[in-house]
Amino acid sequence: MSQTNNSSGKVGFVSLGCPKNTVDSERILTKLRAEGYDIVPSYHDADVVVVNTCGFIDSAVQESLDAIGEALKENGKVLVTGCLGAKEDQIRQVHPNVMAVTGPHAYETVVNQVHEVIPPQHDPFTSLVPPQGIKLTPRHYAYLKISEGCNHRCTFCIIPSMRGDLDSRPVGSVLDEAKRLVDNGVKELLVISQDTSAYGVDIKYRTGFWDGMPVKSRLQELCEQLGRMGVWVRLHYVYPYPSVDHLIPLMAEGKILPYLDIPFQHASEKILKLMKRPAASEKVLQRIQQWREICPDLTIRSTFIVGFPGETEEDFQELLDFLEQAQLDRVGCFKYSPVDGAAANELPDQVDEAVKEERFERFMALQQQISAARLQQKIGKTMQVIIDEVVEEGAVGRSQYDAPEIDGQVFLDGQTQLQVGDIVTVKIEDADEYDMWGQPV
């Protein structure tokens, strides 16, 4: 019997937004593929198009609305899901002809909506799905989502209204997924959630079982188990709770990567309180120093917001002073923009756009100096590099200190014999503000 006759139909898929959305897309695609649907790369070949949207900031909302519009124009049959889907009225106001709208992590509902457009015709004698499921990332790395939602109520954020409160996955389920991924060639696990440090809080760190052993549903114990799988384990979206201190020895011992992605957002106590974020930058600096004493190789990535309502020049200077003292390795910066439904919209003393832009430029100029200086310190050192791409000029990879798509790269000129997914020892020969150059040892 031919593949075409077994096929339930053809689905086009557009996945926008953060890695957490990517995981949602992978779950929907895995379910559809298991039911015999072909996932096709073009609008014109598809019987229906699913658009998984982002709705976190205004630019993401616009990107999502544009993607929906393009899918409608090119295909006509469009199902919308994801974070922006929590605001169906906003979508239908711009695109009234979408067939259906669902919010984030509505996997079964989206699949059922596809059924209504093109009923499944699953052939149980054909192997349709690899054990690790359908992945949107390259084969050698994968995102491992450990929880949904968030218990914080930051005034600039609407994620809890879209994704709900913290909902941790059972630890055995997380570790089973990680093992399947590793068994099928994944060499780097990127642990993600809305609030990774809070994993297990909602289920009171319940003890689960994996591989015949009791394991607490807590980030430290989860990392200890992941660290035994023989692959890189990288932590993202980590709030600086006291429990983070227990992860640093695991990094120093090489069990998980010496990498922390902590969204500090600001350094002024006044602004942090207006944001409803933890407000103690002095303690943060002290803890960063202690972490680096335990694990000198530790790389810290963070994000900050400039131009938040009420931010004075004095508050902004506090932020610059913090950058100077903290010497963070990787930093992203956003100019504050109002998000529909966020509490910060109602705060007084909104900052002028020209002032936001000027502060953004000063912030980035300082951080580029810091990043460049920290990378210069790596010249002459050897480090492990995972290969992401091999092109005509050579291989392109990332060190243990760099996450995919958001951090820098390591260029290995002329090394065309390497394969994607290889992990090689490299001596660093040069660096700029973001990237490094080197050769295998």
Side-chain angles (χ1 to χ4, degrees):
M1 190 180 287
S2 72
Q3 174 87 24
T4 306
N5 291 337
N6 292 340
S7 173
S8 298
K10 297 178 178 179
V11 179
F13 208 98
V14 179
S15 184
L16 304 170
C18 65
K20 295 177 283 294
N21 237 28
T22 301
V23 173
D24 291 349
S25 295
E26 290 172 344
R27 289 179 180 171
I28 296 168
L29 288 169
T30 297
K31 180 70 172 168
L32 290 172
R33 195 73 185 90
E35 293 182 347
Y37 292 94
D38 285 337
I39 311 303
V40 297
S42 104
Y43 292 119
H44 302 293
D45 295 333
D47 299 309
V48 66
V49 177
V50 179
V51 181
N52 191 3
T53 60
C54 180
F56 182 52
I57 56 176
D58 286 353
S59 59
V61 170
Q62 191 56 53
E63 182 185 19
S64 294
L65 291 172
D66 289 347
I68 295 165
E70 182 180 354
L72 282 168
K73 179 183 174 186
E74 300 293 335
N75 183 280
K77 293 183 178 179
V78 178
L79 302 171
V80 177
T81 189
C83 286
L84 188 59
K87 300 179 179 180
E88 182 171 355
D89 292 347
Q90 186 176 354
I91 292 169
R92 291 199 179 276
Q93 189 175 355
V94 181
H95 300 300
N97 296 328
V98 294
M99 299 179 76
V101 179
T102 52
H105 50 91
Y107 317 124
E108 294 299 327
T109 307
V110 174
V111 171
N112 289 335
Q113 289 169 350
V114 172
H115 291 172
E116 291 174 20
V117 182
I118 31 175
Q121 298 172 2
H122 177 47
D123 178 2
F125 300 104
T126 305
S127 177
L128 296 164
V129 181
Q132 75 272 24
I134 302 297
K135 310 306 292 179
L136 294 175
T137 50
R139 189 181 175 209
H140 62 287
Y141 69 82
Y143 294 106
L144 182 68
K145 183 154 66 167
I146 62 175
S147 65
E148 290 286 359
C150 182
N151 288 342
H152 292 282
R153 294 297 181 265
C154 301
T155 56
F156 55 82
C157 181
I158 56 171
I159 292 295
S161 68
M162 293 176 170
R163 290 183 173 262
D165 287 337
L166 180 70
D167 182 12
S168 299
R169 291 177 61 193
V171 69
S173 171
V174 174
L175 290 168
D176 280 343
E177 181 181 347
K179 183 69 164 55
R180 281 196 304 275
L181 291 166
V182 172
D183 287 347
N184 284 277
V186 166
K187 296 185 179 179
E188 178 179 13
L189 295 168
L190 300 115
V191 178
I192 59 168
S193 65
Q194 247 69 46
D195 179 2
T196 297
S197 308
Y199 175 68
V201 167
D202 56 315
I203 52 177
K204 297 181 170 57
Y205 306 119
R206 181 189 307 143
T207 298
F209 286 87
W210 187 72
D211 205 19
M213 297 185 305
V215 182
K216 272 190 179 293
S217 301
R218 187 164 54 192
L219 187 59
Q220 180 183 346
E221 283 81 351
L222 176 64
C223 286
E224 286 171 354
Q225 295 300 324
L226 292 173
R228 294 190 173 108
M229 293 188 183
V231 297
W232 288 10
V233 177
R234 190 182 302 279
L235 302 182
H236 286 276
Y237 315 119
V238 178
Y239 270 71
Y241 304 142
S243 59
V244 174
D245 295 349
H246 302 302
L247 302 176
I248 308 303
L250 298 180
M251 296 178 181
E253 293 161 18
K255 293 179 179 175
I256 62 176
L257 292 184
Y259 181 99
L260 274 179
D261 175 2
I262 303 181
F264 290 121
Q265 306 297 10
H266 213 281
S268 158
E269 189 169 329
K270 182 190 86 179
I271 298 301
L272 287 167
K273 284 181 177 175
L274 288 171
M275 290 178 169
K276 292 198 173 172
R277 301 283 292 183
S281 58
E282 283 181 21
K283 283 186 181 176
V284 168
L285 287 168
Q286 189 177 14
R287 289 177 73 202
I288 289 173
Q289 184 180 353
Q290 290 169 349
W291 294 342
R292 285 178 170 152
E293 285 171 2
I294 296 167
C295 182
D297 282 343
L298 177 65
T299 288
I300 303 175
R301 139 166 284 281
S302 190
T303 50
F304 294 88
I305 297 172
V306 297
F308 191 80
E311 183 189 64
T312 63
E313 181 60 29
E314 185 181 9
D315 296 317
F316 179 66
Q317 189 58 52
E318 274 190 64
L319 177 55
L320 295 184
D321 292 344
F322 176 84
L323 281 187
E324 287 270 24
Q325 294 174 71
Q327 292 287 301
L328 305 178
D329 302 85
R330 305 291 193 187
V331 170
C333 182
F334 297 92
K335 290 173 282 189
Y336 172 77
S337 65
V339 177
D340 190 25
N345 298 348
E346 310 305 320
L347 290 173
D349 304 319
Q350 298 282 326
V351 178
D352 183 77
E353 289 299 323
V355 175
K356 288 182 196 175
E357 179 63 33
E358 186 263 346
R359 288 178 183 169
F360 173 82
E361 298 290 347
R362 285 161 61 196
F363 179 101
M364 291 308 297
L366 174 58
Q367 182 55 39
Q368 282 173 2
Q369 291 175 21
I370 294 169
S371 298
R374 291 193 69 77
L375 284 183
Q376 288 294 311
Q377 294 170 14
K378 298 188 186 300
I379 294 174
K381 295 186 177 179
T382 56
M383 59 185 65
Q384 297 292 102
V385 170
I386 192 166
I387 304 303
D388 286 335
E389 188 181 13
V390 179
V391 295
E392 201 174 313
E393 296 84 4
V396 184
R398 289 175 292 109
S399 74
Q400 292 187 319
Y401 315 111
D402 299 295
E405 298 185 351
I406 56 173
D407 291 333
Q409 296 175 306
V410 181
F411 296 97
L412 308 176
D413 294 341
Q415 299 297 315
T416 53
Q417 80 285 358
L418 295 172
Q419 302 288 317
V420 170
D422 285 351
I423 296 179
V424 293
T425 302
V426 171
K427 184 172 183 179
I428 301 302
E429 298 173 342
D430 197 8
D432 62 14
E433 297 95 337
Y434 302 111
D435 302 314
M436 296 183 287
W437 284 260
Q439 288 295 319
V441 174

